Amino acid sequence: MAGRRIFEQEGELLKLSGDTFSIKEELKKLGARYDGSQKCWFLRSTDLLPKKLEFLGFLQASAAPSIQARVEVQGDEAVVSTEADSAWTVSQFTQFVERLFRQHLNFDFWIVGEISSLKSSSGHFFFELTEPEPDDQRALISGKAASVPCCLWAGKARMLADKLAEFPLADGVKVKLKVNCDFRKEGSRINLIVNDVDPQFTLGDLALKRQSIVRELKRRGLYDRQRSFCRWPDFPLKVALVTAAGSRAQTDFVDELKLSGLAFRVTLFDCLMQGEKVRDTVTSALEMINGNGQEQFDCVVITRGGGSRLDLRWFDDLEICKSIAYSNIPVMTAIGHFEDVSIADEVASIAEKTPTGAARHLTNLVAVGFDRQLARLERAARSAQLRVAREKQSLDKFELRIEQAVRLRLDRETDKLQTAARALRLVRNTAARPLKMGYSSVRVSDPATGQLGRHITADDFLTSEPPKNVQVQLWSSAQNAQVLVDMKVEAIRHTPLPSEEMEYMVEARTKPTEHARGSHGK
């Protein structure tokens, strides 16, 4: 009975035998009791119990066909020959196939493949395990990948919750599963029942792909290009935000920027952040952003909300990393993982953990830019103050030199004036000597301005137009000063002298004139 499960009626009880060790818990739930002497289970019979037992893989002993099968090898083909009293019914065939499965595939084994067509219902998971690159020659000839349906029951999924936390089931993930083969008579369908998973296999496969992408980026010189060639501006206020429209990531990022009170201008580029289309949408957005020119955007922020560790694989993509590396605008990533980083994070100029962290980093960059600008202004102010101080010292020196030069010049000019004054006094004294002896000086006078003209003689009165206004300069012994007398000529009389010399008598009307020293004369 080993290798298969049989139930048969014994009075009011059902006797269960065969390979029951793996399902003993289910049998206990049905109320079965184990008999160690007979090495079988006994269960009280009900109308619905046979259906439940068939679901657990039991066959009714009376329904099992008495068919003998023999496998013979003829050339390259295996031929199954059978001996039966009559033709098989469909149920007999399916029971026979099920018996073969129970006898030859009733054990757990590990299988490797890629998940596709994943569906979930009431906590159960149903998917196809495919082999995209088959080594099987028949698969190569057919052009189709080999696949087998798999089931992960809700109870088993809860037992594997810790492993699935770091290795979630998702389409396109390469997995290593511990399964046992199950044959369903309804539809003659073969299923693999998942009993365990190996998360290290999946993570190791992703790690190998990651290493391959990193090597390719380094070979092309793109791994450090963003950090080497893209310089962040002092005030990155014009932001190109690459994320899903309406997502929590967008809300957290924008709300944090609003709290800063700075004049950020955010332009959203709606992209898918999970799934097969992440590559196309993100690379298209980066191409569009760089096509608009560096004048329109100061930086690019690629962000998404949190997720599982396996979600990082969408950003461990060569094309996305190339687009980030080739961007002429600095790129910041915030993929939403605290413990792990994607290759996109490594290639980007700056990598933050969360959208909020990215917004705070931008705010800090602007604050640092303000501080840097303020420091420049302070340095310029200090430099200007030092320059003003130096120029003031220079001006003070020049002022002192000019003052000394002016004083020296004044001293020299004073000496010259004193010398000229002495000379003038000497000239005045010399000029006043004839006046003191009784002589007088007669000059032409301008009554409008009071200016004195040249000295005149008697001949000047004998001309056709004799001078009318004259000034006579005399000396006053009483005042010890010169006296100027303004005269107006009214008539000229010519009286010849016996010695043939001519005497001129001048009749003049005099009026008082103020002397420069304050003396008066008539």
Side-chain angles (χ1 to χ4, degrees):
M1 303 292 288
R4 59 178 178 171
R5 298 169 187 159
I6 301 295
F7 74 92
E8 54 186 336
Q9 190 78 33
E10 289 191 0
E12 295 181 355
L13 300 178
L14 291 179
K15 181 181 179 181
L16 311 179
S17 58
D19 184 13
T20 59
F21 180 78
S22 61
I23 60 171
K24 63 181 181 178
E25 296 299 330
E26 286 80 357
L27 294 178
K28 289 179 180 180
K29 292 179 181 179
L30 293 176
R33 295 291 182 267
Y34 185 70
D35 187 345
S37 60
Q38 301 184 43
K39 295 183 180 181
C40 61
W41 296 77
F42 288 94
L43 183 64
R44 186 172 296 277
S45 178
T46 62
D47 294 338
L48 299 177
L49 191 56
K51 292 293 184 183
K52 295 181 180 178
L53 294 177
E54 288 181 4
F55 181 80
L56 293 176
F58 283 92
L59 294 177
Q60 190 171 0
S62 60
S66 56
I67 301 176
Q68 300 295 327
R70 183 177 67 255
V71 179
E72 298 179 356
V73 177
Q74 299 179 2
D76 295 333
E77 295 182 357
V79 179
V80 179
S81 60
T82 62
E83 295 180 359
D85 298 334
S86 61
W88 287 0
T89 63
V90 173
S91 61
Q92 288 176 336
F93 172 74
T94 56
Q95 289 175 4
F96 174 73
V97 174
E98 185 178 23
R99 183 183 301 174
L100 291 178
F101 272 90
R102 297 299 179 191
Q103 291 178 348
H104 301 288
L105 289 176
N106 192 22
F107 58 89
D108 291 347
F109 58 93
W110 289 95
I111 188 171
V112 174
E114 186 176 292
I115 295 176
S116 65
S117 304
L118 177 67
K119 297 178 182 179
S120 177
S121 176
S122 301
H124 307 295
F125 294 93
F126 307 94
F127 57 90
E128 295 285 332
L129 193 65
T130 64
E131 187 175 0
E133 299 177 356
D135 297 326
D136 189 295
Q137 184 64 29
R138 289 170 298 176
L140 290 175
I141 295 174
S142 64
K144 296 181 180 180
S147 66
V148 61
C150 297
C151 300
L152 175 60
W153 304 120
K156 187 64 70 173
R158 287 191 294 270
M159 294 176 60
L160 300 175
D162 292 340
K163 293 184 177 181
L164 294 178
E166 48 182 296
F167 158 60
L169 299 177
D171 286 345
V173 179
K174 196 171 182 179
V175 293
K176 182 179 180 180
L177 307 175
K178 188 175 185 179
V179 299
N180 68 294
C181 190
D182 180 57
F183 176 76
R184 295 291 177 179
K185 292 183 291 184
E186 298 81 1
S188 300
R189 183 177 178 85
I190 300 174
N191 291 312
L192 296 182
I193 307 302
V194 179
N195 296 319
D196 198 0
V197 297
D198 183 3
Q200 296 302 320
F201 173 83
T202 301
L203 298 177
D205 181 69
L206 294 177
L208 291 176
K209 291 181 180 179
R210 178 190 179 94
Q211 293 175 4
S212 176
I213 294 174
V214 170
R215 283 196 302 269
E216 181 64 16
L217 290 171
K218 290 183 177 180
R219 186 185 68 81
R220 299 188 182 194
L222 301 178
Y223 189 77
D224 298 314
R225 187 181 186 278
Q226 263 282 314
R227 293 182 290 274
S228 301
F229 296 99
C230 286
R231 178 181 177 274
W232 280 82
D234 289 338
F235 305 102
L237 297 173
K238 297 179 290 184
V239 183
L241 179 61
V242 179
T243 190
S247 63
R248 183 67 179 272
Q250 178 192 2
T251 303
D252 292 347
F253 180 81
V254 174
D255 288 348
E256 186 66 25
L257 290 184
K258 289 180 180 178
L259 292 177
S260 68
L262 300 173
F264 283 101
R265 190 190 72 186
V266 179
T267 303
L268 175 66
F269 290 83
D270 185 13
C271 297
L272 295 175
M273 292 287 106
Q274 186 171 344
E276 297 294 339
K277 294 185 179 180
V278 172
R279 174 193 301 170
D280 296 336
T281 57
V282 172
T283 54
S284 298
L286 290 174
E287 182 179 356
M288 186 182 305
I289 292 169
N290 282 272
N292 290 329
Q294 299 183 14
E295 296 78 11
Q296 187 169 352
F297 299 107
D298 295 325
C299 65
V300 181
V301 176
I302 303 175
T303 184
R304 53 159 289 166
S308 65
R309 184 179 181 185
L310 198 61
D311 288 338
L312 287 174
R313 74 185 188 279
W314 304 117
F315 293 90
D316 288 342
D317 184 84
L318 180 60
E319 295 302 320
I320 291 179
C321 295
K322 285 167 58 179
S323 297
I324 293 174
Y326 280 124
S327 175
N328 295 321
I329 303 173
V331 178
M332 178 189 298
T333 57
I335 308 302
H337 289 262
F338 286 91
E339 298 179 356
D340 304 290
V341 295
S342 65
I343 304 179
D345 292 326
E346 297 179 6
V347 174
S349 178
I350 298 175
E352 283 291 330
K353 298 298 183 183
T354 62
T356 302
R360 289 175 181 170
H361 194 102
L362 283 181
T363 302
N364 292 336
L365 285 178
V366 175
V368 170
F370 277 120
D371 293 340
R372 188 182 297 114
Q373 191 68 20
L374 182 60
R376 291 172 184 166
L377 293 176
E378 290 177 349
R379 288 196 299 269
R382 288 195 297 269
S383 178
Q385 290 176 350
L386 293 175
R387 180 69 180 273
V388 169
R390 288 196 298 267
E391 295 298 331
K392 187 177 182 301
Q393 291 178 356
S394 299
L395 288 176
D396 292 341
K397 292 180 181 179
F398 281 122
E399 183 180 359
L400 181 61
R401 291 174 59 185
I402 291 173
E403 183 180 355
Q404 292 174 348
V406 170
R407 186 178 293 111
L408 182 61
R409 180 66 179 271
L410 286 175
D411 292 341
R412 288 199 298 264
E413 295 299 328
T414 300
D415 293 340
K416 290 181 180 179
L417 286 175
Q418 291 175 353
T419 302
R422 288 194 297 269
L424 181 60
R425 286 195 298 271
L426 179 60
V427 171
R428 285 178 177 176
N429 291 334
T430 303
R433 187 175 299 168
L435 297 178
K436 292 179 180 180
M437 294 174 62
Y439 294 95
S440 63
S441 174
V442 181
R443 294 183 180 182
V444 178
S445 175
D446 187 352
T449 62
Q451 296 290 333
L452 294 177
R454 59 183 178 81
H455 289 84
I456 58 175
T457 62
D459 294 335
D460 294 320
F461 293 96
L462 300 178
T463 60
S464 58
E465 293 184 2
K468 300 296 184 181
N469 298 297
V470 296
Q471 189 177 70
V472 179
Q473 186 176 10
L474 302 171
W475 184 264
S476 171
S477 299
Q479 298 293 332
N480 192 26
Q482 296 181 10
V483 178
L484 300 178
V485 181
D486 290 329
M487 298 182 179
K488 184 176 182 181
V489 179
E490 295 182 351
I492 299 175
R493 185 172 63 246
H494 178 207
T495 304
L497 297 177
S499 60
E500 297 184 358
E501 294 181 359
M502 305 190 69
E503 180 181 356
Y504 297 90
M505 300 298 293
V506 178
E507 296 181 3
R509 180 185 301 172
T510 65
K511 62 180 179 179
T513 302
E514 183 179 358
H515 190 264
R517 293 185 179 180
S519 60
H520 300 275
K522 295 183 179 180

